[in-house]
Amino acid sequence: MKTPADSGFAFPDWAYKPESSPGSRQIQLWHFILELLRKEEYHDVIAWQGDYGEFVIKDPDEVARLWGARKCKPQMNYDKLSRALRYYYNKRILHKTKGKRFTYKFNFNKLVLVNYPFIDMGSGRVPQSAPPVPTGGNHFRFPPSTPSEVLSSSEELRSPGMFSSVARRMARGSVSDCSDGTSTNSELEEAMGARERGMGPERAYRGLLPPRLPHDSFFRVYPNPAGLARHGPRVHPEPLSPFPVSPLPGPGGLLAPTLSPALSMTPTPHLPYTPSPSLSSPMLGSHFSFNPEDMKHYLQAHTQSVYNYHLSPRAFLHYPNIIIPQPHRPTPEKPAAHHLHGQQQHPSPFSHSLGQQPGGGEEGQQHPSPFKFKLQPPPLGRKQRESGSSLAAASSSSSSSQSSSFTGSSQKINSALSAGPPKIKVEPISDIESEEEVEVTDISDEDELNHIDEDDEGDIFTRTARHHPHHQLNNHLRANGNGSSHSAPPHANPDDDPDDDEEVFKTPATPSLSSAGLAFPLINLKSEPGQAAPISPGGTRCIPLKLRFKRRWSEDQKMEADGERDEAEDKKVRANGEEEVGGKREEVGRRVGEVENGGGREGAGGVILGLMLPPPPTQRRASSELQRATAQLSLENTGC
DNA sequence: GGCGGAATAG
DNA sequence: CTATTCCGCC
């Protein structure tokens, strides 16, 4: 089925050679594994098999040898290599498939999907195990095209940081390796390298892509079931460009004024700043394709992921209808993927249905309306909000955004904030939430919790938000306490992993409206506990426009928060391993501070702790994956 | 086989 | 930090 090249997955180049790797500049094991997996040549040695993201090391010794060659560690053996793999467990990059020898499973949530929605793991057969990624093309394509405005230029737009990194990367091309020349290196690299280098600009896209966009974009996509539609005639925004209106940096590069330069700039690979819209939007523009197929695939993949990996459902939650509609869409074949991503299909995106997928199913339901989803521009970065006196800025920014509608919400936020000392940031809620979540999330391990996966599936969609602000916390605590079984209810289980957050999300709301995307929990959740919140959980439907806006707004914030959160998470993950609740809390606080600081790297003081403490509802952290991925993407191989 | 602690290298 | 080494334990 696929050509070799295709067959493998095609992760974005950058995925393979990121520079950003945290500690070591060298290639990371998981990247290496991915490389091997994507090459057919190595299928006898290691291959996808089983569930999504699951792969089996058919020849451990060989894999070890290859790895050793790559790292110039002749003494490498499977025992050692496996130790390294085990370190990924806590990071949630990998987990062991129990009961199957030499079989591990990638958490693509973290690694790929979110990050690279359009990546394709290989068409063909890549078994189910291959990450479910979509894409019409073979590799990822970031459809540059963009509808309208979008941004073509987005690249430049992107945050400098990212951009720069990309650039560097490009410049360098693949780096390589040990000259020893073990076949491995050379092969892999060559293949990749060639590809990469060859592509000029396109590559750039890829590079850029990765990070957040996709995911942001996705998250921003709202289904628009009746809700939105009603509320406005689709917003102007257009069908095509989902993000066109976005306030941010659109193509024009408008980086949001608000963004604090510092933040926005933060180049570090980590993406310290992802959240900010600025980033996202650009990406959206450039990378995000609206090609229906892509969307469809992506969604499906995402969905799967959700199910399989606990991706944060929130994304989907928003869109109950997510089901990737497939109205009719026959095209069985994939678009020529080969050519790269670049093609610009234009999509009128919405016109098509996303549906169809080869494998799939047809779960797709058809919907009368061609497109349910409505894409929206990313909200402003929280930073932006922050920076400007948070509020003011926010409002402005929001207004700018297409959905100017949100402006109103700002108030809300304020109020919310006001509750606490206004510190630096505005996202009180989110932060808080995020933190908690984070904690929760981190804690979890998928392995054990695997069952969760399945559970999640159900849960994700099913659960309603019942979380009261404290509720989670409590659970959290309890959970931690338990040493043993995770039998605890899914949701209680802190471990659940990242996805837990999702729980929170689950919106109680009715599908219809809620789905509209408007329904977002953040605020709602909080209000819930109380008695009647205007936006009662269940009653999303009747929500007045204002409320809707607010919700949306809040949603946006959340998202942003997520991004940050992610970072936090990452850190946490590491940290948390053992922490207890109490300890965790503290840490959380710390982390939060970091996050706020911006990327963590330094920042102004993280004062917000106070806010954080309360255990608000959590959300998801889907984005964490992104960050993580980003952070981790370091692949370069250096010579020995 | 698999896990994970501990020490350590880079 | 990530990975490598070693190693004891299940």
Side-chain angles (χ1 to χ4, degrees), chain A residues 267-318:
Chain A
T268 53
H270 288 340
L271 319 175
Y273 254 21
T274 319
S276 69
S278 57
L279 296 179
S280 61
S281 67
M283 293 191 66
L284 295 178
S286 27
H287 310 302
F288 194 86
S289 74
F290 293 103
N291 173 321
E293 280 195 5
D294 287 347
M295 288 284 293
K296 175 183 79 179
H297 288 291
Y298 176 77
L299 291 176
Q300 287 182 338
H302 195 57
T303 303
Q304 289 181 347
S305 324
V306 171
Y307 291 117
N308 296 302
Y309 302 102
H310 315 178
L311 263 187
S312 68
R314 68 171 145 164
F316 293 96
L317 292 181
H318 297 1

Short mmCIF file of all heavy atoms in Angstrom, two decimals, chain A residues 267-318:
data_model
loop_
_atom_site.label_atom_id
_atom_site.label_comp_id
_atom_site.label_asym_id
_atom_site.label_seq_id
_atom_site.Cartn_x
_atom_site.Cartn_y
_atom_site.Cartn_z
N PRO A 267 10.65 31.84 22.22
CA PRO A 267 10.96 30.93 21.19
C PRO A 267 11.14 29.60 21.69
O PRO A 267 11.04 28.67 21.01
CB PRO A 267 12.29 31.39 20.79
CG PRO A 267 12.71 32.29 21.83
CD PRO A 267 11.56 32.69 22.63
N THR A 268 11.38 29.44 22.80
CA THR A 268 11.81 28.18 23.14
C THR A 268 10.91 27.21 22.58
O THR A 268 9.76 27.38 22.48
CB THR A 268 11.71 27.96 24.57
OG1 THR A 268 10.46 28.29 24.81
CG2 THR A 268 12.61 28.80 25.21
N PRO A 269 11.47 26.27 22.29
CA PRO A 269 10.82 25.18 21.66
C PRO A 269 9.69 24.76 22.46
O PRO A 269 8.73 24.28 21.96
CB PRO A 269 11.83 24.14 21.74
CG PRO A 269 13.01 24.77 22.26
CD PRO A 269 12.75 26.16 22.59
N HIS A 270 9.76 24.91 23.59
CA HIS A 270 8.73 24.39 24.35
C HIS A 270 7.48 24.99 24.04
O HIS A 270 6.50 24.51 24.34
CB HIS A 270 8.92 24.75 25.74
CG HIS A 270 9.97 24.01 26.19
ND1 HIS A 270 10.46 22.93 25.68
CD2 HIS A 270 10.69 24.12 27.19
CE1 HIS A 270 11.38 22.43 26.33
NE2 HIS A 270 11.57 23.14 27.23
N LEU A 271 7.42 26.00 23.54
CA LEU A 271 6.26 26.61 23.32
C LEU A 271 5.79 27.11 24.45
O LEU A 271 4.76 26.91 24.87
CB LEU A 271 5.24 25.71 23.14
CG LEU A 271 5.69 24.78 22.44
CD1 LEU A 271 4.68 23.89 22.40
CD2 LEU A 271 5.97 25.27 21.27
N PRO A 272 6.50 27.72 25.03
CA PRO A 272 6.08 28.18 26.27
C PRO A 272 4.87 28.87 26.09
O PRO A 272 4.05 28.88 26.85
CB PRO A 272 7.11 29.15 26.54
CG PRO A 272 8.09 28.92 25.55
CD PRO A 272 7.63 27.95 24.58
N TYR A 273 4.76 29.35 25.07
CA TYR A 273 3.65 30.08 24.93
C TYR A 273 2.59 29.72 24.07
O TYR A 273 1.84 30.51 23.72
CB TYR A 273 4.01 31.35 24.48
CG TYR A 273 3.80 31.88 25.65
CD1 TYR A 273 3.79 31.13 26.75
CD2 TYR A 273 3.48 33.04 25.83
CE1 TYR A 273 3.52 31.66 27.94
CE2 TYR A 273 3.22 33.52 27.05
CZ TYR A 273 3.25 32.82 28.01
OH TYR A 273 2.98 33.30 29.09
N THR A 274 2.45 28.69 23.78
CA THR A 274 1.48 28.32 22.90
C THR A 274 0.17 28.85 22.98
O THR A 274 -0.47 29.08 22.04
CB THR A 274 1.24 26.92 23.12
OG1 THR A 274 2.45 26.46 23.30
CG2 THR A 274 0.50 26.43 22.09
N PRO A 275 -0.21 28.98 24.05
CA PRO A 275 -1.57 29.35 24.24
C PRO A 275 -1.92 30.57 23.56
O PRO A 275 -3.02 30.77 23.19
CB PRO A 275 -1.61 29.61 25.68
CG PRO A 275 -0.25 29.48 26.15
CD PRO A 275 0.61 28.96 25.09
N SER A 276 -1.05 31.38 23.47
CA SER A 276 -1.52 32.60 22.98
C SER A 276 -2.04 32.40 21.64
O SER A 276 -1.58 31.64 20.87
CB SER A 276 -0.44 33.55 22.88
OG SER A 276 0.36 33.13 21.90
N PRO A 277 -2.96 33.10 21.41
CA PRO A 277 -3.66 33.00 20.18
C PRO A 277 -2.77 33.33 19.12
O PRO A 277 -2.88 32.89 18.03
CB PRO A 277 -4.65 34.09 20.30
CG PRO A 277 -4.32 34.77 21.52
CD PRO A 277 -3.30 34.05 22.27
N SER A 278 -1.91 34.15 19.44
CA SER A 278 -1.13 34.61 18.36
C SER A 278 -0.60 33.44 17.68
O SER A 278 -0.61 33.32 16.49
CB SER A 278 0.02 35.38 18.85
OG SER A 278 0.73 34.56 19.69
N LEU A 279 -0.14 32.59 18.44
CA LEU A 279 0.44 31.46 17.83
C LEU A 279 -0.57 30.71 17.07
O LEU A 279 -0.38 30.36 15.94
CB LEU A 279 0.95 30.56 18.89
CG LEU A 279 2.03 31.28 19.61
CD1 LEU A 279 2.51 30.41 20.68
CD2 LEU A 279 3.07 31.66 18.63
N SER A 280 -1.54 30.49 17.76
CA SER A 280 -2.46 29.63 17.13
C SER A 280 -2.96 30.18 15.87
O SER A 280 -3.06 29.47 14.91
CB SER A 280 -3.61 29.40 18.01
OG SER A 280 -4.18 30.63 18.23
N SER A 281 -3.29 31.32 15.89
CA SER A 281 -3.94 31.71 14.72
C SER A 281 -3.08 31.57 13.54
O SER A 281 -3.50 31.13 12.52
CB SER A 281 -4.36 33.11 14.79
OG SER A 281 -3.26 33.85 14.81
N PRO A 282 -1.93 31.90 13.68
CA PRO A 282 -1.10 31.80 12.52
C PRO A 282 -1.13 30.43 12.02
O PRO A 282 -1.22 30.16 10.86
CB PRO A 282 0.24 32.09 13.05
CG PRO A 282 0.01 32.63 14.38
CD PRO A 282 -1.35 32.33 14.82
N MET A 283 -0.99 29.61 12.92
CA MET A 283 -0.91 28.29 12.48
C MET A 283 -2.13 27.94 11.77
O MET A 283 -2.11 27.28 10.79
CB MET A 283 -0.82 27.41 13.63
CG MET A 283 0.47 27.72 14.19
SD MET A 283 0.83 26.58 15.31
CE MET A 283 0.99 25.22 14.50
N LEU A 284 -3.13 28.37 12.33
CA LEU A 284 -4.33 27.98 11.74
C LEU A 284 -4.30 28.33 10.36
O LEU A 284 -4.61 27.56 9.49
CB LEU A 284 -5.41 28.75 12.35
CG LEU A 284 -5.47 28.35 13.76
CD1 LEU A 284 -6.51 29.14 14.38
CD2 LEU A 284 -5.71 26.92 13.81
N GLY A 285 -4.00 29.51 10.24
CA GLY A 285 -4.06 29.96 8.91
C GLY A 285 -3.23 29.12 8.07
O GLY A 285 -3.69 28.57 7.10
N SER A 286 -2.05 29.07 8.37
CA SER A 286 -1.28 28.39 7.45
C SER A 286 -1.48 26.95 7.43
O SER A 286 -1.55 26.35 6.42
CB SER A 286 0.12 28.55 7.74
OG SER A 286 0.26 28.77 8.94
N HIS A 287 -1.46 26.45 8.49
CA HIS A 287 -1.48 25.03 8.47
C HIS A 287 -2.81 24.45 8.41
O HIS A 287 -3.03 23.43 7.83
CB HIS A 287 -0.89 24.55 9.71
CG HIS A 287 0.32 25.27 9.80
ND1 HIS A 287 1.26 25.23 8.89
CD2 HIS A 287 0.76 26.11 10.65
CE1 HIS A 287 2.23 25.97 9.19
NE2 HIS A 287 1.94 26.53 10.26
N PHE A 288 -3.63 25.04 9.03
CA PHE A 288 -4.84 24.39 9.19
C PHE A 288 -5.50 24.30 7.90
O PHE A 288 -5.62 25.24 7.20
CB PHE A 288 -5.66 25.27 10.00
CG PHE A 288 -6.75 24.53 10.43
CD1 PHE A 288 -6.65 23.77 11.54
CD2 PHE A 288 -7.86 24.49 9.71
CE1 PHE A 288 -7.72 23.08 11.93
CE2 PHE A 288 -8.91 23.78 10.15
CZ PHE A 288 -8.83 23.10 11.24
N SER A 289 -5.92 23.24 7.54
CA SER A 289 -6.53 23.27 6.28
C SER A 289 -7.94 23.07 6.50
O SER A 289 -8.35 22.41 7.38
CB SER A 289 -6.12 22.12 5.51
OG SER A 289 -6.72 21.05 5.97
N PHE A 290 -8.62 23.60 5.68
CA PHE A 290 -10.00 23.41 5.87
C PHE A 290 -10.48 22.38 4.98
O PHE A 290 -11.64 22.11 4.86
CB PHE A 290 -10.70 24.65 5.56
CG PHE A 290 -10.24 25.50 6.60
CD1 PHE A 290 -9.32 26.44 6.40
CD2 PHE A 290 -10.66 25.23 7.87
CE1 PHE A 290 -8.87 27.14 7.44
CE2 PHE A 290 -10.20 25.96 8.90
CZ PHE A 290 -9.31 26.91 8.67
N ASN A 291 -9.63 21.82 4.36
CA ASN A 291 -10.07 20.88 3.42
C ASN A 291 -10.95 19.96 4.16
O ASN A 291 -10.61 19.49 5.20
CB ASN A 291 -8.87 20.11 3.01
CG ASN A 291 -9.34 19.04 2.19
OD1 ASN A 291 -10.36 18.47 2.50
ND2 ASN A 291 -8.64 18.76 1.18
N PRO A 292 -11.99 19.71 3.66
CA PRO A 292 -12.94 18.91 4.38
C PRO A 292 -12.39 17.59 4.68
O PRO A 292 -12.61 17.07 5.74
CB PRO A 292 -14.05 18.75 3.40
CG PRO A 292 -13.75 19.64 2.31
CD PRO A 292 -12.40 20.21 2.45
N GLU A 293 -11.74 17.08 3.77
CA GLU A 293 -11.26 15.77 4.09
C GLU A 293 -10.35 15.79 5.25
O GLU A 293 -10.41 14.95 6.11
CB GLU A 293 -10.49 15.16 2.95
CG GLU A 293 -11.43 14.62 1.95
CD GLU A 293 -10.65 13.73 1.07
OE1 GLU A 293 -9.47 13.52 1.33
OE2 GLU A 293 -11.25 13.23 0.12
N ASP A 294 -9.53 16.73 5.19
CA ASP A 294 -8.59 16.77 6.27
C ASP A 294 -9.33 16.88 7.56
O ASP A 294 -9.04 16.20 8.52
CB ASP A 294 -7.67 17.96 6.16
CG ASP A 294 -6.71 17.71 5.06
OD1 ASP A 294 -6.64 16.56 4.61
OD2 ASP A 294 -6.06 18.66 4.64
N MET A 295 -10.24 17.75 7.49
CA MET A 295 -10.94 17.96 8.70
C MET A 295 -11.54 16.66 9.14
O MET A 295 -11.48 16.28 10.28
CB MET A 295 -12.08 18.93 8.51
CG MET A 295 -11.59 20.32 8.31
SD MET A 295 -11.07 20.97 9.87
CE MET A 295 -12.67 21.05 10.64
N LYS A 296 -12.10 16.08 8.20
CA LYS A 296 -12.79 14.89 8.55
C LYS A 296 -11.84 13.92 9.17
O LYS A 296 -12.09 13.37 10.22
CB LYS A 296 -13.34 14.24 7.34
CG LYS A 296 -13.92 12.96 7.78
CD LYS A 296 -14.44 12.22 6.63
CE LYS A 296 -13.34 11.57 5.89
NZ LYS A 296 -13.81 10.84 4.79
N HIS A 297 -10.80 13.75 8.48
CA HIS A 297 -9.87 12.78 8.99
C HIS A 297 -9.39 13.15 10.34
O HIS A 297 -9.29 12.34 11.22
CB HIS A 297 -8.65 12.72 8.11
CG HIS A 297 -8.96 12.07 6.84
ND1 HIS A 297 -9.25 10.76 6.74
CD2 HIS A 297 -9.05 12.58 5.60
CE1 HIS A 297 -9.48 10.47 5.48
NE2 HIS A 297 -9.37 11.56 4.78
N TYR A 298 -9.12 14.36 10.38
CA TYR A 298 -8.57 14.77 11.63
C TYR A 298 -9.54 14.50 12.72
O TYR A 298 -9.19 14.00 13.77
CB TYR A 298 -8.29 16.23 11.62
CG TYR A 298 -7.81 16.62 12.95
CD1 TYR A 298 -6.52 16.33 13.31
CD2 TYR A 298 -8.65 17.17 13.89
CE1 TYR A 298 -6.08 16.63 14.57
CE2 TYR A 298 -8.20 17.46 15.12
CZ TYR A 298 -6.92 17.18 15.46
OH TYR A 298 -6.49 17.45 16.70
N LEU A 299 -10.69 14.87 12.45
CA LEU A 299 -11.66 14.70 13.49
C LEU A 299 -11.79 13.26 13.86
O LEU A 299 -11.86 12.90 15.03
CB LEU A 299 -13.02 15.21 13.06
CG LEU A 299 -13.03 16.70 12.92
CD1 LEU A 299 -14.36 17.13 12.40
CD2 LEU A 299 -12.78 17.31 14.26
N GLN A 300 -11.81 12.51 12.86
CA GLN A 300 -11.97 11.12 13.18
C GLN A 300 -10.83 10.66 14.02
O GLN A 300 -11.01 9.96 15.01
CB GLN A 300 -11.99 10.29 11.93
CG GLN A 300 -13.28 10.50 11.22
CD GLN A 300 -13.31 9.65 10.02
OE1 GLN A 300 -12.27 9.25 9.53
NE2 GLN A 300 -14.48 9.37 9.54
N ALA A 301 -9.73 11.04 13.53
CA ALA A 301 -8.58 10.60 14.25
C ALA A 301 -8.66 11.08 15.66
O ALA A 301 -8.38 10.37 16.61
CB ALA A 301 -7.33 11.16 13.63
N HIS A 302 -9.04 12.25 15.71
CA HIS A 302 -9.05 12.84 17.01
C HIS A 302 -10.03 12.09 17.87
O HIS A 302 -9.76 11.78 19.00
CB HIS A 302 -9.51 14.26 16.87
CG HIS A 302 -9.21 15.01 18.09
ND1 HIS A 302 -7.97 15.13 18.62
CD2 HIS A 302 -9.99 15.66 18.94
CE1 HIS A 302 -8.03 15.86 19.72
NE2 HIS A 302 -9.23 16.19 19.93
N THR A 303 -11.09 11.82 17.25
CA THR A 303 -12.09 11.14 18.00
C THR A 303 -11.55 9.85 18.50
O THR A 303 -11.68 9.48 19.65
CB THR A 303 -13.27 10.79 17.13
OG1 THR A 303 -13.74 11.97 16.57
CG2 THR A 303 -14.31 10.13 17.96
N GLN A 304 -10.95 9.21 17.61
CA GLN A 304 -10.41 7.95 18.01
C GLN A 304 -9.47 8.14 19.13
O GLN A 304 -9.46 7.40 20.10
CB GLN A 304 -9.63 7.33 16.88
CG GLN A 304 -10.57 6.89 15.82
CD GLN A 304 -9.81 6.27 14.73
OE1 GLN A 304 -8.61 6.39 14.68
NE2 GLN A 304 -10.49 5.61 13.85
N SER A 305 -8.72 9.11 18.94
CA SER A 305 -7.77 9.30 19.96
C SER A 305 -8.44 9.49 21.22
O SER A 305 -7.99 9.04 22.24
CB SER A 305 -7.02 10.55 19.80
OG SER A 305 -6.84 10.77 18.57
N VAL A 306 -9.45 10.21 21.11
CA VAL A 306 -10.10 10.50 22.34
C VAL A 306 -10.45 9.22 22.99
O VAL A 306 -10.20 9.00 24.13
CB VAL A 306 -11.38 11.25 22.11
CG1 VAL A 306 -12.11 11.33 23.39
CG2 VAL A 306 -11.02 12.60 21.60
N TYR A 307 -11.01 8.44 22.18
CA TYR A 307 -11.40 7.19 22.76
C TYR A 307 -10.24 6.38 23.19
O TYR A 307 -10.20 5.86 24.28
CB TYR A 307 -12.15 6.37 21.74
CG TYR A 307 -13.44 6.99 21.49
CD1 TYR A 307 -13.77 7.48 20.26
CD2 TYR A 307 -14.31 7.15 22.55
CE1 TYR A 307 -14.98 8.08 20.07
CE2 TYR A 307 -15.51 7.76 22.35
CZ TYR A 307 -15.84 8.22 21.11
OH TYR A 307 -17.02 8.82 20.92
N ASN A 308 -9.37 6.27 22.30
CA ASN A 308 -8.27 5.44 22.62
C ASN A 308 -7.30 6.01 23.57
O ASN A 308 -6.72 5.33 24.36
CB ASN A 308 -7.52 5.09 21.38
CG ASN A 308 -8.41 4.29 20.52
OD1 ASN A 308 -8.88 3.26 20.95
ND2 ASN A 308 -8.73 4.75 19.35
N TYR A 309 -7.09 7.21 23.42
CA TYR A 309 -6.10 7.79 24.25
C TYR A 309 -6.51 8.81 25.23
O TYR A 309 -5.72 9.53 25.73
CB TYR A 309 -5.09 8.46 23.40
CG TYR A 309 -4.52 7.49 22.49
CD1 TYR A 309 -4.91 7.44 21.19
CD2 TYR A 309 -3.62 6.59 22.97
CE1 TYR A 309 -4.36 6.52 20.36
CE2 TYR A 309 -3.08 5.67 22.14
CZ TYR A 309 -3.45 5.64 20.85
OH TYR A 309 -2.91 4.72 20.03
N HIS A 310 -7.64 8.95 25.48
CA HIS A 310 -7.97 9.95 26.41
C HIS A 310 -7.68 11.27 25.93
O HIS A 310 -7.31 12.11 26.70
CB HIS A 310 -7.13 9.90 27.63
CG HIS A 310 -6.99 8.61 28.10
ND1 HIS A 310 -6.29 8.27 29.12
CD2 HIS A 310 -7.52 7.49 27.71
CE1 HIS A 310 -6.36 7.05 29.35
NE2 HIS A 310 -7.07 6.55 28.53
N LEU A 311 -7.77 11.51 24.75
CA LEU A 311 -7.49 12.83 24.37
C LEU A 311 -8.50 13.62 25.02
O LEU A 311 -9.53 13.13 25.32
CB LEU A 311 -7.74 13.04 22.95
CG LEU A 311 -6.52 12.90 22.30
CD1 LEU A 311 -6.72 13.26 20.92
CD2 LEU A 311 -5.57 13.79 22.96
N SER A 312 -8.22 14.76 25.16
CA SER A 312 -9.20 15.44 25.87
C SER A 312 -10.33 15.57 24.98
O SER A 312 -10.27 15.96 23.90
CB SER A 312 -8.78 16.77 26.23
OG SER A 312 -8.69 17.45 25.16
N PRO A 313 -11.32 15.20 25.48
CA PRO A 313 -12.56 15.17 24.79
C PRO A 313 -13.05 16.51 24.66
O PRO A 313 -13.95 16.77 23.94
CB PRO A 313 -13.43 14.48 25.75
CG PRO A 313 -12.67 14.37 26.95
CD PRO A 313 -11.26 14.71 26.72
N ARG A 314 -12.53 17.34 25.37
CA ARG A 314 -13.21 18.56 25.38
C ARG A 314 -13.36 19.04 24.03
O ARG A 314 -14.33 19.67 23.70
CB ARG A 314 -12.47 19.59 26.06
CG ARG A 314 -11.40 19.90 25.40
CD ARG A 314 -10.92 21.03 26.08
NE ARG A 314 -9.61 20.87 25.99
CZ ARG A 314 -8.75 21.64 26.16
NH1 ARG A 314 -9.07 22.52 26.48
NH2 ARG A 314 -7.62 21.54 26.08
N ALA A 315 -12.43 18.75 23.29
CA ALA A 315 -12.54 19.29 22.00
C ALA A 315 -13.78 18.79 21.39
O ALA A 315 -14.54 19.50 20.78
CB ALA A 315 -11.40 18.84 21.18
N PHE A 316 -13.95 17.58 21.55
CA PHE A 316 -15.11 17.01 20.95
C PHE A 316 -16.34 17.33 21.68
O PHE A 316 -17.40 17.41 21.12
CB PHE A 316 -14.98 15.54 20.92
CG PHE A 316 -13.91 15.30 20.01
CD1 PHE A 316 -12.64 15.11 20.45
CD2 PHE A 316 -14.18 15.39 18.68
CE1 PHE A 316 -11.67 14.95 19.54
CE2 PHE A 316 -13.18 15.23 17.79
CZ PHE A 316 -11.93 15.01 18.21
N LEU A 317 -16.17 17.46 22.87
CA LEU A 317 -17.35 17.68 23.60
C LEU A 317 -18.05 18.83 23.06
O LEU A 317 -19.24 18.87 22.98
CB LEU A 317 -16.99 17.97 25.00
CG LEU A 317 -16.45 16.74 25.60
CD1 LEU A 317 -16.11 17.04 27.00
CD2 LEU A 317 -17.45 15.67 25.48
N HIS A 318 -17.27 19.69 22.70
CA HIS A 318 -17.90 20.86 22.23
C HIS A 318 -18.75 20.53 21.10
O HIS A 318 -19.71 21.14 20.83
CB HIS A 318 -16.92 21.80 21.69
CG HIS A 318 -16.05 22.19 22.77
ND1 HIS A 318 -16.16 21.74 24.01
CD2 HIS A 318 -15.06 23.01 22.80
CE1 HIS A 318 -15.26 22.28 24.74
NE2 HIS A 318 -14.58 23.04 24.03
#
